[in-house]
Amino acid sequence: MSGYRVVHCGPLMLRLHKRRAMLCLFLALVLLMAAVLALGAGGTTGWSAPWAGGQGKVLWDLRLPRLLLALVCGAMLGLAGATLQSLTRNGLADPGLLGVREGASLAILVLLFFLPTAAPELRPLVGLVGGVSVVAVTVLLARGGIERMRFILIGIGVSWFLSGLIALMLVAADVTMMQTAMVWLAGSLSGAAWSSVRMAALCLLIGGVLLFGTARAGDVADLGDHLGRSLGVSMTRLAVVRVAAAVLLTAGCVSFCGRLGFVGLIAPHLARLSVGGGQGALLSASALWGAVLVMVADTVGRVAFAPIQIPAGIVLAVIGVPVLLGLLWCRRDRF
Amino acid sequence: MAGPAWARSFTDDLGRTVEVPDRPLRIVSLSDTDITIPLLELGVMPVASHGRVGVNGAGAPYLRSGALLTGVDFDTAPIRFIGATEVDLEAVANERPDLIIAEKGRLAALETLQDLAPTVVLDAAGLGASHVYSRLADLTGQQVRLQTLETRYQAALQALKDTVHPERYTVSVIQPLNGKISVYHTYRALGRVLRDAGFRFPPLIDAIPVGGRMEIGAERLPEIDADVIFDPYRADRGEGPRADIADMEALVPNFCAFLQACRQGRYVMVSREEAISNSYSALFLMVSMVQAQMAERPRVTLK
Amino acid sequence: MRGLLAVAALLLLLGAAVAFHQATGPRPIGWSGLWQAVWAFDPMNFDHQTVMALRLPRLLAAFLAGAALGMAGVLLQSLLRNPLGEPHILGLNAGASLAVVVCLAFPLGVFSAPLLRPVVAATGGGLAFLLVLLLSSAGRLGLTMTKVTFCGIAVSALASTLTSGVLLLDEETLATVRLWLLGDAAAGTWTTVRAAAPLLLLALLAGWALAARLNVLALGDALATSLGVSLLKTRLLGLVVVAVLCGGAVSMVGPVGFIGLMVPAMARRLSSLDHRALLPRAAVLGGIMLIVADAVARWLLAPRELATGVMTALVGAPVFVLIVARRMKE
């Protein structure tokens, strides 16, 4: 079995590709080291080893939850992006395309503007409801199930309509309120707290289980509809499960840290370039790359001009351009 | 951090009940215009504050209208700058605050802040500056100082009323905005002085909800005409009132001819930096400005 | 005969739109007032100034911008053979807004002058669009509908994130451009119209002059090449014209979206597919739509005036969905 090794673990059987597994492990190690570095990086205090102690509260209440949230949200976006790119067979698909992002944003903005006293724990819930209902509308409009392009393009149309509504809200708002909303819309992790880390991790867990659980079937589906069906994979059911997982991941991420762009677009490409392989490897590597990107962007935005904070979404946009250009050029024949 | 021996309950404008210290010593303010300037006027020096950085300035942080209205800014006082649009939470934590005061419009990461120190949120945009002052005085125990400021303001206001008879005049505050005109129900300090003194406003402005703002088309220019019109010009660019007048002229050529106030030389340009503040210093400035503009003037009389 | 009827219908519609725009103006001015304002203009009469200094440039700005965006839509769709080709979707608007906002927020000398704004906007839009085209035409499959759309969305998102980055630091500039950023015909004054109109008229004529080449292009690449039409030259020329059209429109009324999407779909029903007829009709139709959108924006919540671009997005996005739903069924 060319490079694959089968690992038995009780009733479970895992088929690992040795080289790719090693690559993923290496990536994870790099991520871990980077995370330790980021954990020690303070904006106004400079770098100090996180294990040295002496800054317990800052480290434990501020930096650690923020770092973990960055990792979790990055992984969520990486997974969602990889899934959407394989579902649409298009390397330019981004989790924002389904209208989930605008739906969740609109719902949370309504909450922020009209019920600012509402508990912050409510936000993810509201965001999820907004995101899911937009996808439901998109599915209704697209009828006839998830016929790839039609579905995505209708999602784009729906999200434009919602952006119109968001714009309408912002026009009427106070300038200060508008700036707050813009920071949030640009994508920022400053609201991180242990409670949000826990909820985000739960979202990641559910989405991850759904996606990794269907990864093998996804490999088959990638061979094409006919071949997949003849190999006994129910294409519609598979697509529904994977889209649902991507929606959950994206809406969850928007509710915790706003609209972080480009991660879902770039991470899967970096994954294919560095690790390659089938769905299982692609998903793992995309999650890792997503986590790296968001963590780096957030740390740079937090530290570079401290105490002035640059929202992670804006740093991502600045990093994103050259990376995107380079990647698309390298992989120009593959999307 | 706050020991129960010297703590008390405080209900903030979001309805949250927070245990705050009786005499906070290390206050961090998350809004320069709405919290820091009022604190300074109440004689309380916060240890750190939100500020601004101009895109085109030298890049040095500043408190909006800080030097102009209170003489205090980051470079002249021991106040630490903790960030602009978004506040650096670690910098807040490093100040080891015993009280954090936030404004509703600049609300971020309330939960995390509350973990660092007791955090209260005040609603300046919705409930107005005088409400914020009384809450801040309550928090810092500076009621006497506030009483002094308020007495002085009321006295100035009374002097204005005695000089001008506000009920006889209509006034409005307008601002050109890219082909439209921006009008407020109450334009910050300037608007508050005008409303408190009892001037009358055009019906269009009175129809705006309290604390609200609206953009109207330039065709409605006559509807916002009044005996006196104030135009808060943008002063942070060094262009002065000329740029704002040019904007009005671009909006409606000859605009001055169509406004009774302007024809009579009562279209008054006011610096936005002073008019927009919520502070008592700004109120005092605005009272004397209005009084000087509207008091009776001598005219040439033909014998 | 059918063509004549369509032209007559369009002109009638245009008249109706102008009348609607005129009637929804907040200041009631009768037709006699209009007549006098034009023929016996008195600069000291506010009604006359309203007509000549407010309504006329606003109407002209809306019409010219709408015409430019409508024609740009047809040009893009024909050049790219893509029914979803639209300046807003392809990143032109976001690029142009970014360029203008940067020039407003930072004192960049001459580039911040209002007279150069159309050029700045056109350059920004053009660069963003170039990026989209480069990205999406790389690779073996070349320009496909989805690739262009996705690249456009990615580049737009990028440019608008950078725009908000600039605005986050500068509250006063944010307050100034807030409405303009959503697309607002009220920003059309004589100064902006005068700066943009010559460039726009030139571009509109140039676009029309490309009609014959576009007709040949519609026959397919192979046939077009054999008929002696240079594909590259036509596309390049067409795209420059599109960038100027969009830049001029943005400099007057801000980034108004979706006109370029709705108009070609309708114009194709009103006209033969001959570009010599299609292009001018699309231009007139675009002008009509933007005039109506502007009238609605200022009438809906009067006396509060909304941004024109919000109206076109709220109508245009459903149209996009409709087009997709219909196209993808076939």
Side-chain angles (χ1 to χ4, degrees):
Chain A
M1 277 183 81
S2 55
Y4 284 100
R5 180 165 296 182
V6 180
V7 181
H8 292 275
C9 176
L12 291 174
M13 194 179 83
L14 216 57
R15 186 166 146 275
L16 281 178
H17 186 282
K18 202 174 164 195
R19 191 179 58 85
R20 289 184 194 131
M22 289 310 283
L23 274 170
C24 278
L25 207 64
F26 175 70
L27 213 73
L29 268 175
V30 171
L31 178 64
L32 195 69
M33 266 154 42
V36 170
L37 278 176
L39 204 56
T44 39
T45 49
W47 196 83
S48 59
W51 53 86
Q55 43 175 342
K57 210 173 173 61
V58 167
L59 203 65
W60 186 252
D61 283 348
L62 295 178
R63 242 177 255 170
L64 193 58
R66 185 166 175 163
L67 187 85
L68 288 178
L69 191 66
L71 293 176
V72 169
C73 284
M76 286 161 85
L77 287 172
L79 286 178
T83 308
L84 280 173
Q85 291 188 1
S86 6
L87 274 174
T88 57
R89 309 235 163 108
N90 192 310
L92 291 167
D94 176 275
L97 290 181
L98 289 176
V100 190
R101 208 151 62 181
E102 266 65 28
S105 307
L106 185 63
I108 293 173
L109 273 187
V110 168
L111 188 75
L112 275 180
F113 276 42
F114 297 110
L115 283 172
T117 45
E121 290 83 17
L122 225 61
R123 274 190 215 172
L125 218 62
V126 171
L128 269 178
V129 170
V132 169
S133 40
V134 168
V135 174
V137 169
T138 309
V139 169
L140 273 180
L141 283 172
R143 266 171 297 171
I146 301 154
E147 290 165 34
R148 297 206 170 101
M149 265 349 284
R150 192 177 135 98
F151 181 62
I152 293 273
L153 286 174
I154 288 182
I156 293 175
V158 171
S159 57
W160 274 327
F161 183 74
L162 295 172
S163 322
L165 289 180
I166 292 178
L168 202 58
M169 276 183 69
L170 289 184
V171 175
D174 186 62
V175 176
T176 319
M177 202 64 197
M178 188 179 175
Q179 269 196 327
T180 313
M182 275 172 69
V183 170
W184 183 79
L185 284 177
S188 156
L189 287 141
S190 66
W194 282 110
S195 61
S196 51
V197 173
R198 274 193 291 274
M199 289 180 75
L202 186 69
C203 277
L204 176 63
L205 189 73
I206 298 173
V209 165
L210 284 178
L211 288 180
F212 280 101
T214 53
R216 289 292 294 280
D219 279 333
V220 177
D222 280 349
L223 298 174
D225 283 5
H226 285 292
L227 207 52
R229 217 165 278 134
S230 63
L231 285 168
V233 172
S234 160
M235 301 305 280
T236 321
R237 203 180 302 158
L238 181 68
V240 167
V241 170
R242 309 192 82 202
V243 167
V247 168
L248 173 79
L249 291 169
T250 312
C253 189
V254 170
S255 357
F256 297 115
C257 47
R259 298 196 287 188
L260 291 172
F262 301 100
V263 182
L265 188 60
I266 295 172
H269 286 282
L270 288 169
R272 281 190 212 103
L273 210 64
S274 60
V275 177
Q279 282 288 316
L282 176 66
L283 286 171
S284 327
S286 300
L288 287 170
W289 273 113
V292 170
L293 282 170
V294 176
M295 183 189 68
V296 169
D298 181 50
T299 308
V300 168
R302 178 168 66 84
V303 174
F305 300 101
I308 295 163
Q309 307 279 290
I310 315 284
I314 290 172
V315 181
L316 272 172
V318 176
I319 305 178
V321 194
V323 176
L324 186 66
L325 289 181
L327 275 176
L328 290 180
W329 195 253
C330 286
R331 304 182 47 79
R332 59 186 177 278
D333 285 334
R334 314 222 184 129
F335 57 79
Chain B
M1 226 179 268
W6 44 284
R8 67 192 173 105
S9 288
F10 181 89
T11 308
D12 75 358
D13 292 348
L14 293 185
R16 302 157 59 250
T17 303
V18 185
E19 290 289 302
V20 297
D22 226 3
R23 290 262 171 230
L25 296 172
R26 303 189 60 80
I27 299 177
V28 169
S29 150
L30 300 192
S31 168
D32 59 354
T33 42
D34 291 317
I35 309 287
T36 309
I37 303 284
L39 278 177
L40 291 170
E41 288 201 322
L42 290 173
V44 177
M45 187 76 80
V47 290
S49 168
H50 148 268
R52 301 173 196 241
V53 273
V55 177
N56 43 12
Y62 61 93
L63 292 167
R64 181 154 193 194
S65 316
L68 188 68
L69 295 174
T70 62
V72 175
D73 210 335
F74 290 121
D75 52 359
T76 60
I79 302 178
R80 177 92 60 175
F81 172 57
I82 50 161
T85 316
E86 200 181 336
V87 159
D88 185 352
L89 294 172
E90 291 188 15
V92 174
N94 283 335
E95 293 305 315
R96 306 194 183 286
D98 56 6
L99 180 62
I100 300 173
I101 309 178
E103 203 277 321
K104 200 174 126 196
R106 292 194 191 278
L107 201 51
L110 188 54
E111 200 185 343
T112 318
L113 287 169
Q114 182 64 44
D115 281 345
L116 294 176
T119 304
V120 297
V121 181
L122 301 179
D123 182 4
L127 297 173
S130 62
H131 167 81
V132 169
Y133 269 87
S134 77
R135 300 310 305 272
L136 287 176
D138 182 17
L139 277 168
T140 55
Q142 296 289 337
Q143 285 94 342
V144 179
R145 181 74 178 249
L146 176 61
Q147 194 53 53
T148 318
L149 288 167
E150 186 60 29
T151 309
R152 188 179 156 202
Y153 173 55
Q154 291 303 336
L157 212 55
Q158 192 56 50
L160 171 65
K161 285 182 194 167
D162 293 344
T163 324
V164 176
H165 299 294
E167 66 286 351
R168 294 185 196 159
Y169 300 100
T170 54
V171 292
S172 64
V173 184
I174 66 171
Q175 208 171 284
L177 186 76
N178 257 333
K180 294 190 176 172
I181 298 172
S182 182
V183 285
Y184 292 71
H185 177 270
T186 304
Y187 192 92
R188 301 287 199 127
L190 175 55
R192 205 175 136 204
V193 166
L194 296 174
R195 292 239 171 237
D196 285 351
F199 287 101
R200 288 178 295 122
F201 288 79
L204 189 73
I205 293 183
D206 272 332
I208 305 172
V210 178
R213 167 190 58 85
M214 152 168 105
E215 273 88 39
I216 58 169
E219 287 183 32
R220 294 189 187 272
L221 191 70
E223 293 177 48
I224 47 175
D225 195 5
D227 293 319
V228 182
I229 296 177
F230 297 94
D231 180 344
Y233 64 88
R234 190 173 170 178
D236 60 337
R237 285 262 164 112
E239 286 164 352
R242 193 172 298 152
D244 248 51
I245 297 174
D247 281 353
M248 277 304 291
E249 192 63 36
L251 199 64
V252 185
N254 274 337
F255 77 97
C256 202
F258 304 120
L259 294 171
Q260 180 208 335
C262 200
R263 283 195 304 269
Q264 298 174 352
R266 297 199 186 267
Y267 188 99
V268 182
M269 306 301 293
V270 193
S271 163
R272 203 179 293 178
E273 290 302 300
E274 291 163 10
I276 209 168
S277 168
N278 274 322
S279 60
Y280 275 96
S281 326
L283 289 176
F284 301 151
L285 272 173
M286 289 300 119
V287 171
S288 12
M289 186 275 297
V290 172
Q291 191 169 332
Q293 287 299 335
M294 302 192 63
E296 203 56 47
R297 293 174 193 182
R299 301 161 191 228
V300 177
T301 44
L302 294 171
K303 294 258 166 79
Chain C
M1 191 56 213
R2 201 173 151 246
L4 263 178
L5 257 167
V7 170
L10 266 180
L11 289 179
L12 215 65
L13 261 176
L14 179 62
V18 171
F20 179 54
H21 195 267
Q22 161 70 20
T24 52
R27 194 175 172 78
I29 297 172
W31 292 105
S32 61
L34 265 184
W35 185 259
Q36 277 179 12
V38 178
W39 297 112
F41 179 68
D42 171 11
M44 299 310 277
N45 182 324
F46 190 71
D47 279 354
H48 292 187
Q49 283 287 7
T50 302
V51 172
M52 298 304 284
L54 295 176
R55 291 196 186 171
L56 204 56
R58 186 167 176 165
L59 201 68
L60 268 178
F63 180 77
L64 271 177
L69 292 171
M71 186 183 266
V74 174
L75 284 174
L76 275 175
Q77 296 183 6
S78 303
L79 287 169
L80 306 178
R81 298 215 181 89
N82 179 346
L84 301 179
E86 206 272 298
H88 192 69
I89 299 172
L90 297 179
L92 275 152
N93 277 344
S97 327
L98 176 61
V100 170
V101 165
V102 165
C103 285
L104 278 177
F106 303 93
L108 293 177
V110 282
F111 294 108
S112 301
L115 259 180
L116 266 182
R117 208 191 272 182
V119 181
V120 167
T123 315
L127 283 177
F129 188 42
L130 197 69
L131 189 64
V132 171
L133 285 182
L134 275 180
L135 281 180
S136 49
S137 57
R140 270 189 306 245
L141 287 174
L143 279 170
T144 62
M145 188 167 96
T146 30
K147 258 167 79 177
V148 176
T149 311
F150 284 4
C151 280
I153 289 169
V155 172
S156 296
L158 184 83
S160 44
T161 312
L162 293 178
T163 307
S164 47
V166 173
L167 291 179
L168 277 179
L169 285 176
D170 195 345
E171 197 177 294
E172 285 293 328
T173 304
L174 171 63
T176 318
V177 298
R178 170 167 56 182
L179 280 178
W180 181 85
L181 266 185
L182 300 172
D184 187 9
T189 60
W190 280 122
T191 326
T192 50
V193 171
R194 221 173 273 139
L199 208 64
L200 270 185
L201 287 175
L202 215 68
L204 282 170
L205 284 177
W208 199 8
L210 282 173
R213 278 162 172 264
L214 288 175
N215 282 341
V216 180
L217 206 66
L219 300 173
D221 287 358
L223 208 51
T225 320
S226 67
L227 284 171
V229 169
S230 158
L231 291 177
L232 188 71
K233 216 169 114 191
T234 308
R235 289 220 161 104
L236 221 61
L237 260 172
L239 296 178
V240 169
V241 169
V242 167
V244 174
L245 285 173
C246 295
V250 169
S251 73
M252 285 193 299
V253 300
V256 171
F258 300 100
I259 293 285
L261 186 72
M262 295 182 274
V263 166
M266 292 181 190
R268 290 215 171 84
R269 273 159 213 274
L270 271 176
S271 138
S272 62
L273 293 179
D274 180 353
H275 283 88
R276 283 170 299 184
L278 185 60
L279 283 169
R281 282 172 203 182
V284 174
L285 203 58
I288 294 172
M289 289 198 79
L290 202 53
I291 290 175
V292 173
D294 185 43
V296 173
R298 70 177 182 189
W299 164 75
L300 201 62
L301 289 184
R304 186 187 285 272
E305 288 202 5
L306 298 172
T308 319
V310 175
M311 292 296 123
T312 58
L314 291 183
V315 180
V319 171
F320 177 88
V321 170
L322 257 176
I323 293 177
V324 170
R326 201 169 284 163
R327 283 250 156 198
M328 307 289 278
K329 213 178 273 171
E330 289 154 12

